[in-house]
Amino acid sequence: MSSATDPASSLDATRASPRTRRVAVIGGGPAGLMAAEAMAERGVQVDLYDAMPSVGRKFLLAGRGGLNLTHAEALPAFTARYGAQAPRVAAWLEALPPDALREWAHDLGIETFVGTSGRVFPREMKAAPLLRAWLARLRAQGVRLHMRHRWLPWPQGEAASPARLRFATPEGEVEHGADAVVLALGGGSWARLGSDGAWVEPLAAHDVPVRALRPANCGFLASWSEWFRERHAGDPVKAVSMICGQEAARQSRRGEFVISADGIEGSLVYALSAPIRDEIEARGTATIWLDLMPDWSLERVETEVAHPRGSRSMSSHLQSRLKLTGVRAGLLRELASRDDYADPLRLAARIKALPLVLTAPRPIDEAISTAGGVELGALDGASMLPRWPGVFCAGEMLDWEAPTGGYLLTACMASGRVAGRGVLDYLATLG
């Protein structure tokens, strides 16, 4: 496959030897592509299959407004973003920490920079140049891409083996074999881009421990009045704080979000979507608390609200004394009671802690990502399913989640590298 004159031969000395091992990667997202690279650069013949006409479709769409590649915060804080699964994800990040991911992009000719929030972006902001450079390198390494190949899971009762992989293609069903396979099938959001979660039931039927997929980094439903919906749907709510969770595990974030026709969405909501979702699942609804004046103390708000207002309406008074206008004033009118408005101290307390009841997350297909998937405890440290030798898993199909901000993409790619290296170790045991 390689020769002394092949430009790809300089990547690794093993590329001058025959490719005696073949590995299939199923799924052309960041995790699958990184797994393919980890193996191909060591001389393994990699065939990558994807159901869509091209790879990286969700990656490209996510980067349309600016590809958030990773985050520049210190690694301990970075790792803590993964919640209960932080110890396992920390092991992935040892294979590809955030700084190494930036170096990897630079090796592709993609310069990066750190934004004011600490998020890391390509200099051009777009995902397409990075993906083009990445695919060029993969092809130079000998990776073969098979598009419009939808994987057909092993039938119930049939042993799961990489030696028999079936695919539905426009020309009919085809079968391929490999020495190992990496499943990087994605989660269950944005089905039109390929992540439809169709693998969940077939794997569960083979007794693979799979937790139900749930929306993550998602919006939520709320019951707005017609008055509020007509005036404020689509409005951004800026410079507020949001608090959620029960007393013992309360979380607070500052930022902005957007009013939708039937709820809330946006970056501040996504940052707290996991605890909000979990509270809804446990209690039926979740109450979040909005601080409409996060830079002001309660005492200062009380003083201004209690200031004599003469003949002015309360809305005019709040606009004059607190600069509380627009959608923030609309939220106060929507969510505070008549009794609150009748008592300056109660109204001040509401301005600092305004309750909003959320009834359900948006549908899973609208979520940025999903939680749930193959339980991490079902995998060994190399990301292989021990009961299925030669079958590895990577990416969003695994049971972990993270907020937006570069954490999702970094962990997906790191998990792909871990799986790819795990395959290399497994192949070495085959002799």
Side-chain angles (χ1 to χ4, degrees):
M1 193 73 183
S2 298
S3 67
T5 58
D6 186 345
S9 64
S10 63
L11 293 171
D12 194 288
T14 61
R15 296 190 53 75
S17 61
R19 294 176 182 268
T20 57
R21 295 297 182 187
R22 293 181 57 186
V23 177
V25 175
I26 304 177
L33 293 173
M34 187 58 77
E37 180 176 286
M39 295 179 290
E41 66 185 8
R42 294 292 300 276
V44 174
Q45 174 60 66
V46 179
D47 288 274
L48 187 145
Y49 302 88
D50 196 280
M52 304 303 289
S54 59
V55 300
R57 293 200 158 201
K58 187 174 178 181
F59 176 75
L60 288 172
L61 185 61
R64 184 171 293 177
L67 178 64
N68 187 188
L69 187 62
T70 187
H71 202 286
E73 70 182 344
L75 190 58
F78 189 103
T79 303
R81 301 289 186 174
Y82 300 94
Q85 301 295 5
R88 187 62 179 264
V89 177
W92 300 345
L93 295 176
E94 290 179 6
L96 189 66
D99 286 347
L101 182 56
R102 293 186 70 184
E103 292 175 6
W104 170 87
H106 295 170
D107 289 342
L108 288 174
I110 305 298
E111 295 300 316
T112 62
F113 72 95
V114 180
T116 55
S117 64
R119 298 185 180 202
V120 176
F121 300 91
R123 185 67 60 186
E124 296 179 277
M125 293 297 291
K126 299 178 182 178
L130 187 150
L131 183 60
R132 282 196 299 269
W134 195 3
L135 291 177
R137 181 156 75 185
L138 290 172
R139 290 189 176 101
Q141 291 171 337
V143 175
R144 300 185 297 210
L145 304 181
H146 306 268
M147 299 297 96
R148 295 187 174 89
H149 278 61
R150 178 174 293 279
W151 180 54
L152 301 174
W154 300 284
Q156 191 171 4
E158 178 183 308
S161 170
R164 185 168 185 233
L165 302 171
R166 298 179 304 118
F167 300 88
T169 77
E171 289 73 39
E173 185 175 318
V174 297
E175 187 172 316
H176 296 282
D179 296 295
V181 59
V182 176
L183 302 179
L185 301 168
S189 63
W190 299 12
R192 63 189 177 87
L193 302 178
S195 297
D196 58 11
W199 52 268
V200 170
E201 289 188 11
L203 290 194
H206 275 275
D207 297 324
V208 175
V210 179
R211 294 188 66 190
L213 297 180
R214 301 178 293 160
N217 293 295
C218 60
F220 291 87
L221 302 181
S223 299
W224 301 129
S225 68
E226 192 62 31
W227 174 89
F228 183 80
R229 182 184 299 110
E230 288 180 354
R231 286 164 177 77
H232 296 295
D235 285 353
V237 184
K238 299 182 178 182
V240 296
S241 291
M242 183 179 292
I243 302 169
C244 72
Q246 299 304 303
E247 198 69 40
R250 187 154 288 182
Q251 297 188 45
S252 176
R253 296 283 191 280
R254 180 168 175 167
E256 62 182 75
F257 65 97
V258 176
I259 303 295
S260 65
D262 52 5
I264 57 174
E265 56 189 35
S267 59
L268 181 56
V269 180
Y270 304 153
L272 294 170
S273 63
I276 294 172
R277 178 202 64 217
D278 292 348
E279 184 174 342
I280 290 174
E281 291 177 354
R283 299 171 177 269
T285 63
T287 299
I288 63 171
W289 303 84
L290 301 174
D291 184 346
L292 301 179
M293 304 288 295
D295 292 327
W296 289 33
S297 68
L298 175 60
E299 291 74 19
R300 183 181 177 188
V301 174
E302 288 176 341
T303 298
E304 296 300 333
V305 175
H307 190 278
R309 61 186 174 94
S311 61
R312 289 183 302 181
S313 67
M314 180 58 77
S315 61
S316 296
H317 180 61
L318 296 178
Q319 179 176 346
S320 173
R321 305 301 302 185
L322 279 71
K323 309 302 182 192
L324 194 63
T325 61
V327 65
R328 289 189 301 151
L331 280 165
L332 184 64
R333 175 174 171 178
E334 176 77 357
L335 300 174
S337 69
R338 288 186 178 181
D339 289 342
D340 293 330
Y341 269 88
D343 183 336
L345 294 182
R346 285 185 57 166
L347 187 59
R350 282 289 177 252
I351 291 170
K352 293 294 291 179
L354 187 64
L356 170 59
V357 177
L358 303 174
T359 58
R362 297 292 306 173
I364 192 169
D365 195 47
E366 298 178 16
I368 293 175
S369 60
T370 51
V374 176
E375 294 184 12
L376 297 185
L379 304 173
D380 65 16
S383 294
M384 186 175 76
L385 291 163
R387 62 191 303 272
W388 290 356
V391 179
F392 296 73
C393 299
E396 200 179 332
M397 70 178 293
L398 301 177
D399 181 22
W400 62 280
E401 62 179 310
T404 58
Y407 309 103
L408 282 165
L409 185 54
T410 301
C412 274
M413 297 174 79
S415 74
R417 178 167 286 187
V418 168
R421 290 178 175 177
V423 170
L424 294 173
D425 291 340
Y426 169 76
L427 294 178
T429 69
L430 301 182

